[in-house]
Amino acid sequence: MPDRKILLEESDIPKQWYNIVPDLPHPLPPFIDAATGQPGVGIVPRIFPKEIIGQEISQERWINIPDEVREVYRIWRPTPLFRALGLEKALKTPAKIYYKYEGTSPAGSHKPNTAVPQAFYNMKEGTTRLSTETGAGQWGSALAFAAGVFDLKATVYMVRASFDQKPYRKMMMNAFGAECIASPSNKTEAGRKILAEDPDNKGSLGIAISEAVEDALVNEKETNYAIGSVFNHVCLHQTVEGLEAKKQLEMVDDYPDVVYGCIGGGSSYSGIMWPFYYDQVTKKAPKETKFVATEATACPKVTKGVYQYDHGDTAKITPLVPMHTLGHDFIPAPIHAGGLRYHGISPIISLLTQEKKMTTEAFNQLEVFDAAKLFIQTEGIIPAPEPSHAIKGAIDEALRCKKTGEAKTILFVLCGHGFFDMAAYDEYFSGKLQPYEYPTEKVAESMDKLHKLYPWLNEVNKKYISCETY
Amino acid sequence: MPDRKILLEESDIPKQWYNIVPDLPHPLPPFIDAATGQPGVGIVPRIFPKEIIGQEISQERWINIPDEVREVYRIWRPTPLFRALGLEKALKTPAKIYYKYEGTSPAGSHKPNTAVPQAFYNMKEGTTRLSTETGAGQWGSALAFAAGVFDLKATVYMVRASFDQKPYRKMMMNAFGAECIASPSNKTEAGRKILAEDPDNKGSLGIAISEAVEDALVNEKETNYAIGSVFNHVCLHQTVEGLEAKKQLEMVDDYPDVVYGCIGGGSSYSGIMWPFYYDQVTKKAPKETKFVATEATACPKVTKGVYQYDHGDTAKITPLVPMHTLGHDFIPAPIHAGGLRYHGISPIISLLTQEKKMTTEAFNQLEVFDAAKLFIQTEGIIPAPEPSHAIKGAIDEALRCKKTGEAKTILFVLCGHGFFDMAAYDEYFSGKLQPYEYPTEKVAESMDKLHKLYPWLNEVNKKYISCETY
């Protein structure tokens, strides 16, 4: 009988992150300044430390992990790789299923993998306070933890819908020493404007980003902004997931045929995927690996959204980013996977999708919780709703294998536990969950608005993304 | 720099539990039948499977762990042993601090260590349903998980105070497939009687035990009762903790000078302590080890209670048990360490205390949360309030070492995480926590009542516990 858990030693924690950028099929399109329609990074240099900006645009394949960061990683890394023996047995599949479990971190998810280096670089460059946004609260509590480690203050703007649904997340941020504010708030101009129009606004990641960025700009002297996903440097830091998982699979002489994960901004999936993509590009892989992301039908940025330039936030403070988007004015349905409710996605995920290096599948939350239930009762871990999308994808793949008889190796990243999501499980078990599908017409409406706002957008799309997308 | 985590392989999961009973300084006093005042186990044989009763009275030092149980243990065992490098650094202590972390289990605590074998033996002997009580919800969710694994139904009576404070625990039990009812309930005669006198009764473990035992007796044909602590067989199953910890300390060539833990019913502490006690008794220990339990000043059964015979439950259904007790009518203050709010304790803990093989220290919840806060910010793990008592004990010991310059090795068991206790942390951080000290007069009152109820009690105490205790 194989082991359920494949464990590494602390000395196995990677010494370098893997940067996919130089290995992409073609260069990443630039950010566009909305004021000019020309390439430009706008406020970006004002809100991040220099080291982070360097990583954001780096063309180096391997970037050293500072010793101080590896020292903090040791609190919970390396994380375990599980062989899902219970799930395989229940599915009666010939496939082998593995999952990289990131829920053992202080914040209960993969997010501290990037929160720690971000806090470290900020501390090193003299920042004393960080501002950020959070959806489900995973990122906010990770940054709260990391800020505490390096003696920085932290303010977290939390999407109102999640703030109300998950009160314990706020308390966790407080326990790590950070401040947590429901967004939209009256602390920022962006927030006040939205509340004036709609005092009951439930918020969105786009709005919370606007608030956090404004906070960093207004308090520029001592405050920087930290971001939990989407950006290259964030995805880069997450590659410890895939680098460890590869080593762990080597220990049992295995290699994935397919790699699943869920995408909100795309960082946890990039973390597991990039190192295996590297093997493909450099011809080091023993076989061809398929990369499949999963998203929510309530927020189908890749499967229903449009690949083009759009703002990363609702208040249009950020530059225009080349990505799949549902429109920066997107207001998500209150699904429980708060971390998947972002209107856009990492530009790298978008480029890889366009170049057919990966695909995305969308699931509604009812089928996702069905998958989570089976997982709980066979594997004994309560997953967060976000990675339950990946579980659903992996289960479907394992069931396809059952039909075809293929003994595929399936790997997915279980990016966080669901101990703070029990209210969601309660709704599911009491039959109250809505499936939610985002209507295609709504996407069209948002795109119309966007193109009215920036009449030159099609031209810019054509020039930099190399396709007229809308 | 030493590793933070000391890990074992799945093949290192113990193959036998260690039974302390044959190594006790003298035999355990018998249970007493309250109806006759004579030795007798009353309802015990009617509510447990034969294998469990055999273990309860076994004189064998080593008891085999069934393969089916080890197979389920593999889901989360062996658990990690942590070297508390962050805490040591913050305390500037010459002491080395280790903790055995049981929070990685499906239920988030040590409780599945016994829930799994109990469910297994019941399944094997044809039971189809289990009933039990739970305080903070740790035991209830562990039994819910274990019952699910072996396809048994489960009903959990949860102390009303905790049921209201920790709604997510109920949802977790539901997720594992069990039913959870607030106690006192109107499902049992014991519950109805209490509600008739006091409709707002907040419950106690004593009351919940009465309800769960009554449920098993009324539905005797298919239902058995499962207990989460106090009994010998429960403590026995927990020895996987200490057996693993010993092996882990061997790996870093260390051995504890002192072993801390917290005591509710005493099982998690027995689990870590017994295997090291075995070394003392058999002269295999490289040094003398001190054993120190910790309890809540709001429920000081060992430090303020009386060692004598008392019922294990409020409704006096159980036989009289030789233990330290605050009286079976004890109603605890609503401290957040729900798992420590039991009026009695394992008879083995009591015997070891009387024989001066171990001591107990009591802490109030304010000082306990101060300790937990330091632990969170230095170790990155949010502990449950119960083991935070052990953290407090370990910190005090480490600070004593700082004064004396002794480089002691301190080991404690961190028996569960606090992800379901964030409301408690919120109260602490907002300054609302009460320290609570149980008044000595109240103990005297309860003892008076008990001796009026059973005028022969002193005689029985003298005869079997070998001391006139009250």
Side-chain angles (χ1 to χ4, degrees):
Chain A
M1 184 72 93
D3 279 356
R4 275 182 179 261
K5 299 178 290 298
I6 304 154
L7 304 175
L8 296 171
E9 315 247 318
E10 287 174 20
S11 55
D12 293 318
I13 294 173
K15 294 192 173 60
Q16 298 182 307
W17 293 298
Y18 166 63
N19 181 19
I20 200 175
V21 171
D23 293 322
L24 289 173
H26 59 74
L28 273 176
F31 284 5
I32 296 290
D33 188 327
T36 63
Q38 297 298 318
V41 293
I43 47 129
V44 168
R46 291 172 54 194
I47 55 175
F48 291 111
K50 287 196 188 69
E51 182 64 34
I52 288 291
I53 293 173
Q55 293 182 359
E56 186 62 27
I57 57 173
S58 173
Q59 294 291 326
E60 296 296 316
R61 218 179 220 173
W62 297 99
I63 293 176
N64 289 337
I65 304 178
D67 286 344
E68 294 90 335
V69 170
R70 291 184 77 240
E71 182 52 38
V72 182
Y73 276 174
R74 292 208 294 138
I75 292 178
W76 76 97
R77 301 210 72 84
T79 60
L81 181 78
F82 281 84
R83 171 84 184 270
L85 292 174
L87 183 61
E88 288 173 21
K89 196 173 157 195
L91 295 173
K92 299 193 180 84
T93 176
K96 283 182 283 182
I97 307 174
Y98 296 90
Y99 53 98
K100 179 71 171 162
Y101 183 41
E102 294 288 312
T104 58
S105 82
S109 79
H110 65 295
K111 295 289 190 186
N113 295 337
T114 183
V116 172
Q118 288 195 54
F120 169 71
Y121 294 126
N122 271 290
M123 177 276 290
K124 236 180 115 186
E125 296 185 25
T127 313
T128 58
R129 178 171 170 267
L130 292 172
S131 77
T132 196
E133 74 289 337
T134 195
Q138 290 282 14
W139 167 242
S141 25
L143 193 76
F145 159 71
V149 168
F150 296 109
D151 276 328
L152 305 175
K153 287 183 192 165
T155 298
V156 180
Y157 294 87
M158 183 169 184
V159 176
R160 163 68 70 183
S162 291
F163 187 90
D164 292 342
Q165 255 177 15
K166 304 183 182 192
Y168 290 3
R169 274 284 171 195
K170 168 186 174 287
M171 300 172 198
M172 192 178 187
M173 292 178 229
N174 295 160
F176 286 131
E179 172 189 37
C180 175
I181 296 168
S183 165
S185 79
N186 55 19
K187 299 261 172 186
T188 67
E189 209 177 308
R192 285 190 295 271
K193 211 167 149 188
I194 287 160
L195 287 175
E197 283 169 25
D198 174 13
D200 296 325
N201 191 299
K202 290 282 171 219
S204 70
L205 267 178
I207 294 171
I209 293 173
S210 299
E211 291 206 277
V213 169
E214 182 187 324
D215 184 325
L217 287 170
V218 168
N219 304 292
E220 197 172 346
K221 223 171 133 186
E222 82 292 348
T223 303
N224 264 341
Y225 168 73
I227 189 160
S229 192
V230 181
F231 272 52
N232 302 355
H233 67 273
V234 181
C235 300
L236 169 79
H237 299 155
Q238 294 296 349
T239 56
V240 288
E241 290 173 7
L243 293 166
E244 285 180 9
K246 215 196 297 185
K247 213 178 255 189
Q248 286 163 313
L249 284 170
E250 262 169 36
M251 288 167 67
V252 290
D253 201 21
D254 215 332
Y255 197 90
D257 292 284
V258 52
V259 178
Y260 276 91
C262 63
I263 47 172
S267 73
S268 80
Y269 188 64
S270 298
I272 194 81
M273 172 199 178
W274 289 10
F276 291 99
Y277 174 88
Y278 167 79
D279 286 355
Q280 298 291 322
V281 169
T282 56
K283 317 263 185 236
K284 287 181 180 154
K287 53 170 111 159
E288 202 180 314
T289 300
K290 251 178 43 180
F291 300 105
V292 188
T294 60
E295 63 181 10
T297 55
C299 186
K301 74 282 290 299
V302 177
T303 53
K304 281 192 178 178
V306 181
Y307 183 36
Q308 67 157 40
Y309 277 99
D310 193 4
H311 288 289
D313 72 315
T314 305
K316 308 186 280 286
I317 300 177
T318 72
L320 293 165
V321 180
M323 62 181 179
H324 287 79
T325 176
L326 296 165
H328 63 262
D329 59 344
F330 172 74
I331 296 279
I335 56 163
H336 286 284
L340 304 190
R341 288 189 299 214
Y342 182 58
H343 69 277
I345 187 81
S346 151
I348 293 175
I349 296 268
S350 284
L351 190 152
L352 291 169
T353 301
Q354 192 200 20
E355 296 293 328
K356 299 197 181 1
K357 302 297 181 193
M358 61 176 285
T359 55
T360 295
E361 298 170 357
F363 300 112
N364 76 56
Q365 63 176 356
L366 274 182
E367 53 193 354
V368 163
F369 274 86
D370 285 344
K373 179 185 162 191
L374 180 64
F375 189 79
I376 292 171
Q377 297 182 345
T378 54
E379 291 294 310
I381 292 175
I382 297 184
E386 292 85 352
S388 298
H389 289 72
I391 296 174
K392 167 66 178 161
I395 288 176
D396 282 3
E397 179 74 18
L399 290 174
R400 281 191 292 270
C401 288
K402 189 175 170 181
K403 274 194 190 156
T404 62
E406 287 171 287
K408 281 190 189 172
T409 296
I410 301 168
L411 169 67
F412 69 91
V413 56
L414 183 63
C415 63
H417 64 64
F419 292 140
F420 289 82
D421 302 282
M422 295 316 297
Y425 281 99
D426 194 42
E427 273 195 30
Y428 167 69
F429 281 109
S430 54
K432 287 182 205 149
L433 270 198
Q434 298 297 319
Y436 293 120
E437 302 251 351
Y438 193 68
T440 314
E441 315 84 75
K442 285 274 223 174
V443 184
E445 270 173 43
S446 289
M447 293 303 120
D448 282 344
K449 268 198 256 174
L450 185 62
H451 282 267
K452 262 180 208 148
L453 194 63
Y454 304 120
W456 38 261
L457 202 57
N458 262 340
E459 206 178 309
V460 168
N461 286 337
K462 204 169 165 180
K463 182 164 175 189
Y464 295 106
I465 312 188
S466 329
C467 66
E468 190 167 355
T469 54
Y470 187 75
Chain B
M1 184 73 95
D3 277 356
R4 275 183 179 261
K5 300 178 289 300
I6 303 154
L7 304 174
L8 296 170
E9 314 248 319
E10 287 174 20
S11 54
D12 293 318
I13 294 173
K15 293 191 172 61
Q16 297 182 309
W17 294 297
Y18 165 62
N19 181 20
I20 200 174
V21 172
D23 292 322
L24 289 173
H26 61 75
L28 273 175
F31 284 4
I32 297 290
D33 188 327
T36 62
Q38 297 298 319
V41 293
I43 47 131
V44 169
R46 291 170 55 195
I47 56 175
F48 290 111
K50 287 197 187 69
E51 182 65 35
I52 287 290
I53 293 173
Q55 294 182 358
E56 186 62 28
I57 57 173
S58 173
Q59 294 290 327
E60 295 296 317
R61 216 180 223 174
W62 297 99
I63 293 176
N64 289 337
I65 305 178
D67 285 344
E68 296 89 335
V69 170
R70 291 184 78 239
E71 183 51 38
V72 183
Y73 276 173
R74 293 209 293 140
I75 291 178
W76 75 97
R77 301 210 72 85
T79 60
L81 181 77
F82 280 84
R83 171 84 185 271
L85 292 175
L87 184 61
E88 288 173 21
K89 196 175 156 194
L91 295 174
K92 299 191 180 87
T93 176
K96 283 182 281 180
I97 307 174
Y98 296 89
Y99 53 98
K100 179 72 171 163
Y101 184 41
E102 293 288 311
T104 58
S105 81
S109 79
H110 65 294
K111 296 288 191 186
N113 295 337
T114 182
V116 171
Q118 288 195 53
F120 170 70
Y121 293 127
N122 271 292
M123 178 277 291
K124 236 178 117 188
E125 295 184 25
T127 313
T128 59
R129 179 172 169 268
L130 293 172
S131 77
T132 196
E133 74 289 337
T134 197
Q138 290 282 15
W139 167 241
S141 27
L143 193 75
F145 159 72
V149 168
F150 295 111
D151 276 327
L152 305 175
K153 287 184 193 164
T155 298
V156 180
Y157 294 87
M158 184 170 184
V159 176
R160 164 68 71 183
S162 291
F163 187 90
D164 292 342
Q165 255 177 14
K166 306 185 181 193
Y168 290 2
R169 275 284 170 195
K170 167 185 176 287
M171 300 173 198
M172 191 177 186
M173 293 178 228
N174 295 159
F176 286 131
E179 172 188 37
C180 175
I181 296 168
S183 166
S185 78
N186 55 19
K187 299 260 171 184
T188 67
E189 209 176 309
R192 285 189 294 271
K193 211 168 149 187
I194 287 160
L195 287 176
E197 283 169 25
D198 173 14
D200 296 325
N201 192 297
K202 290 281 171 219
S204 70
L205 266 177
I207 294 172
I209 293 172
S210 299
E211 292 206 277
V213 169
E214 182 187 324
D215 184 326
L217 287 170
V218 168
N219 304 292
E220 197 171 345
K221 222 171 135 187
E222 83 291 348
T223 304
N224 264 341
Y225 168 74
I227 189 159
S229 192
V230 181
F231 272 54
N232 301 356
H233 68 272
V234 181
C235 299
L236 169 79
H237 299 155
Q238 294 296 350
T239 57
V240 287
E241 290 173 6
L243 294 165
E244 286 180 7
K246 215 196 299 184
K247 213 178 257 190
Q248 285 162 312
L249 284 171
E250 260 169 39
M251 288 167 68
V252 291
D253 201 20
D254 215 332
Y255 198 89
D257 292 284
V258 52
V259 178
Y260 275 92
C262 63
I263 46 172
S267 73
S268 80
Y269 188 65
S270 298
I272 195 81
M273 172 198 178
W274 290 10
F276 292 99
Y277 174 89
Y278 167 80
D279 286 355
Q280 297 291 323
V281 170
T282 56
K283 318 264 184 234
K284 287 181 181 153
K287 53 171 112 160
E288 202 180 315
T289 300
K290 251 178 45 180
F291 300 105
V292 187
T294 59
E295 63 182 10
T297 54
C299 187
K301 72 283 290 293
V302 177
T303 53
K304 281 192 179 178
V306 181
Y307 183 36
Q308 67 157 40
Y309 277 100
D310 193 4
H311 288 289
D313 72 316
T314 306
K316 308 187 280 285
I317 300 177
T318 72
L320 292 165
V321 180
M323 63 181 177
H324 287 79
T325 176
L326 295 165
H328 63 264
D329 59 345
F330 172 75
I331 295 281
I335 56 162
H336 286 284
L340 304 191
R341 288 189 299 216
Y342 182 57
H343 69 276
I345 188 79
S346 151
I348 294 175
I349 296 269
S350 285
L351 191 153
L352 291 170
T353 301
Q354 192 199 21
E355 295 294 327
K356 301 197 181 355
K357 302 295 183 194
M358 61 176 285
T359 55
T360 295
E361 297 170 357
F363 299 112
N364 76 54
Q365 63 176 357
L366 275 182
E367 53 194 354
V368 162
F369 275 85
D370 284 344
K373 180 185 163 190
L374 180 64
F375 189 79
I376 292 171
Q377 297 183 344
T378 55
E379 292 293 311
I381 293 176
I382 297 183
E386 292 85 352
S388 298
H389 289 72
I391 295 174
K392 167 67 178 160
I395 288 176
D396 282 2
E397 179 74 19
L399 290 175
R400 281 190 291 270
C401 289
K402 190 175 169 180
K403 275 194 189 155
T404 62
E406 286 171 289
K408 280 190 188 171
T409 296
I410 302 168
L411 169 67
F412 70 91
V413 56
L414 183 63
C415 62
H417 65 62
F419 292 140
F420 289 82
D421 301 283
M422 296 316 299
Y425 280 98
D426 195 41
E427 274 195 30
Y428 167 69
F429 281 109
S430 54
K432 287 183 205 148
L433 270 198
Q434 299 297 319
Y436 293 121
E437 300 250 353
Y438 193 67
T440 315
E441 315 85 75
K442 285 273 224 174
V443 184
E445 270 173 42
S446 288
M447 293 304 122
D448 281 344
K449 269 197 256 174
L450 186 62
H451 282 266
K452 261 178 208 150
L453 194 63
Y454 303 120
W456 39 261
L457 203 55
N458 263 341
E459 205 177 311
V460 169
N461 285 337
K462 203 168 165 181
K463 182 163 176 192
Y464 295 106
I465 311 187
S466 330
C467 65
E468 191 167 352
T469 54
Y470 189 74

